[in-house]
Amino acid sequence: AAAEKGGYATFMEKEIHEQPHAVGDTLLGRTDIEGRLVLDDMSITEDQLKDVDRIIIVACGTAAYAGMVAKYAIEHWTRIPVEVSLAHEFRYSDPIASERTLVVSISQSGETMDTLMAVKHARELGALTLSICNTHGSTIPRESDAVLYTHAGPEIAVASTKAFLAQITACYVLGLYLAQLRGGTFADDAQSVMKELHEIPAKLEELLGRMDRVKEIARFMADTRSVLFLGRNVGYPVAMEGALKLKELAYIHAEGFAAGELKHGPIALIDAGQPVFIVVPGPGTPHELHKKVVSNIQEIRARGARTIVVAEDGDEDVVPFADEVIRVPATSPLLAPLLTVVPLQVFALHLSSAKGLDVDQPRNLAKSVTVE
Ligand code: G6P
């Protein structure tokens, strides 16, 4: 078993370290000689895709957070409205879809019953169905019109890590593909985003080499009973994923919030010593979101929170208000989740092992839930 874990103590740790490859391999072979993006199995025609006027992403758990990241990117690049629906909520909500609706399911296993039922229902409604999946020949891709495989390799740990990064990567590829196909104002920029995406694996490698302080923070926090996570824009689903990891692995009460929502309620939770992770948008993010989040950090710090800030290299604005700064390499704002989520994964893993818990097999959870 030790050999299977490649020298790591747990499958999860091994899989976290496989993330540069998960992203790189998912990007592999996605561009043809003319520089155009390609998908896998397609019984959806280019004309059908050109006519799509609405996208609904269906997924559960971590995969649904990948979908939330995708919404921001795909809408920005294609101007097609994107909704994200938890698969079990979609199926029984009397959803609206037509032959111009593209229902994108995201699933590591390809066997999640809730997601499968949503896909089947979408087909009944006449929608086009595309599966983003990590498992060749599994049920969901077989029940879909088209598939875009993620190449994360088998994921053994119950808590998803490398599959999440691969799912986000595949969603970016899909978004850029649609942008090119439809030739909108963004079509010309698609190649430069692809270039930046190809730089992510090396940045991940570098980031994974600087996790010592995160591990230390996790060990110091073994007795913590509640942790909050804040993020904004694509950092918002990252905050929720950070909270989910902590619930799953360390059985700690954790919640992710949109940073802008803080003043509308959650700020009441802040008292002395409350640990809060803040995923800070890069200084280059439009609409001054960086500045707005920095002022959120200042607000909660003034109320006694212990602020653990995930910020880009070189972002000095956060320093005066941070108890801890965790640095991630810079990238363009929409791609940042591929980097900012990593310290949150590492934190949850090490807090779980500091508590002596079973990292790979948390209580009450299954890797793939094949019942509704
Ligand atoms: C289970 C797992 C989660 C996973 C979710 C969706 O609940 O414990 O880690 O995110 O299923 O799984 P899927 O295979 O569809 O991505």
Side-chain angles (χ1 to χ4, degrees):
E4 279 183 296
K5 291 176 194 158
Y8 293 100
T10 59
F11 281 109
M12 187 185 175
E13 193 169 8
K14 171 173 177 263
E15 289 162 5
I16 285 174
H17 283 87
E18 286 169 348
Q19 293 187 119
H21 285 288
V23 172
D25 291 351
T26 298
L27 289 173
L28 222 62
R30 289 287 166 217
T31 345
D32 68 14
I33 31 175
E34 280 120 54
R36 295 196 341 156
L37 291 166
V38 285
L39 303 185
D40 297 323
D41 228 353
M42 283 292 266
S43 59
I44 305 179
T45 65
E46 290 200 349
D47 284 336
Q48 280 173 312
L49 284 177
K50 275 185 193 151
D51 282 344
V52 164
D53 63 4
R54 186 162 156 242
I55 295 173
I56 306 174
I57 298 177
V58 294
C60 303
T62 291
Y65 293 139
M68 286 184 63
V69 170
K71 174 186 160 78
Y72 292 94
I74 297 176
E75 285 188 337
H76 181 70
W77 295 333
T78 67
R79 311 313 295 151
I80 305 170
V82 181
E83 279 166 64
V84 186
S85 196
L86 293 169
H88 36 90
E89 286 295 319
F90 173 82
R91 171 64 185 87
Y92 302 105
S93 63
D94 198 6
I96 302 161
S98 73
E99 66 284 355
R100 296 185 66 183
T101 308
L102 178 66
V103 172
V104 178
S105 63
I106 307 178
S107 174
Q108 188 286 128
S109 62
E111 301 296 345
T112 300
M113 186 58 76
D114 286 325
T115 309
L116 176 61
M117 296 309 278
V119 170
K120 285 188 170 172
H121 189 61
R123 289 191 75 175
E124 280 161 23
L125 294 172
L128 304 167
T129 53
L130 176 109
S131 154
I132 291 180
C133 185
N134 197 46
T135 311
H136 273 264
S138 57
T139 310
I140 294 171
R142 277 193 278 123
E143 292 287 335
S144 303
D145 299 312
V147 54
L148 205 172
Y149 280 111
T150 49
H151 297 289
E155 193 178 64
I156 310 294
V158 167
S160 186
T161 53
K162 62 176 181 170
F164 179 63
L165 264 68
Q167 286 159 353
I168 295 174
T169 304
C171 288
Y172 291 148
V173 170
L174 175 65
L176 295 170
Y177 171 81
L178 290 172
Q180 276 194 343
L181 188 67
R182 299 160 66 95
T185 48
F186 184 78
D188 293 341
D189 296 335
Q191 289 196 11
S192 75
V193 179
M194 268 311 264
K195 192 171 158 279
E196 267 201 85
L197 257 178
H198 280 282
E199 290 166 8
I200 295 283
K203 291 179 182 177
L204 276 167
E205 210 62 82
E206 191 198 334
L207 178 60
L208 287 165
R210 2 166 156 157
M211 288 292 104
D212 286 350
R213 183 61 189 154
V214 176
K215 294 177 195 173
E216 237 167 53
I217 299 170
R219 280 196 293 273
F220 291 149
M221 285 175 66
D223 295 327
T224 303
R225 302 191 49 189
S226 152
V227 182
L228 305 179
F229 294 79
L230 298 178
R232 194 159 181 155
N233 196 266
V234 286
Y236 169 39
V238 170
M240 290 197 286
E241 171 62 5
L244 179 62
K245 283 285 153 288
L246 212 51
K247 293 176 214 177
E248 289 179 313
L249 294 165
Y251 319 148
I252 289 176
H253 176 255
E255 252 188 288
F257 298 108
E261 194 64 7
L262 196 62
K263 57 187 176 300
H264 301 294
I267 197 161
L269 289 169
I270 307 293
D271 59 7
Q274 171 66 51
V276 186
F277 278 81
I278 306 97
V279 180
V280 182
T285 309
H287 313 298
E288 301 206 314
L289 291 188
H290 170 261
K291 211 168 115 194
K292 287 171 179 158
V293 172
V294 171
S295 86
N296 291 143
I297 308 174
Q298 187 175 7
E299 278 157 20
I300 57 173
R301 185 98 175 310
R303 288 165 177 78
R306 180 155 176 264
T307 54
I308 306 157
V309 175
V310 179
E312 252 183 28
D313 283 335
D315 177 357
E316 294 306 318
D317 300 341
V318 299
V319 174
F321 315 114
D323 290 300
E324 297 283 349
V325 185
I326 300 166
R327 293 289 178 189
V328 297
T331 184
S332 68
L334 287 168
L335 306 187
L338 293 174
L339 300 167
T340 52
V341 77
V342 174
L344 308 186
Q345 297 168 336
V346 172
F347 175 74
L349 182 156
H350 286 274
L351 191 50
S352 170
S353 60
K355 289 178 78 168
L357 301 173
D358 186 341
V359 169
D360 287 334
Q361 296 275 351
R363 68 185 181 200
N364 307 341
L365 297 175
K367 180 67 184 157
S368 164
V369 183
T370 53
V371 292
E372 266 196 272

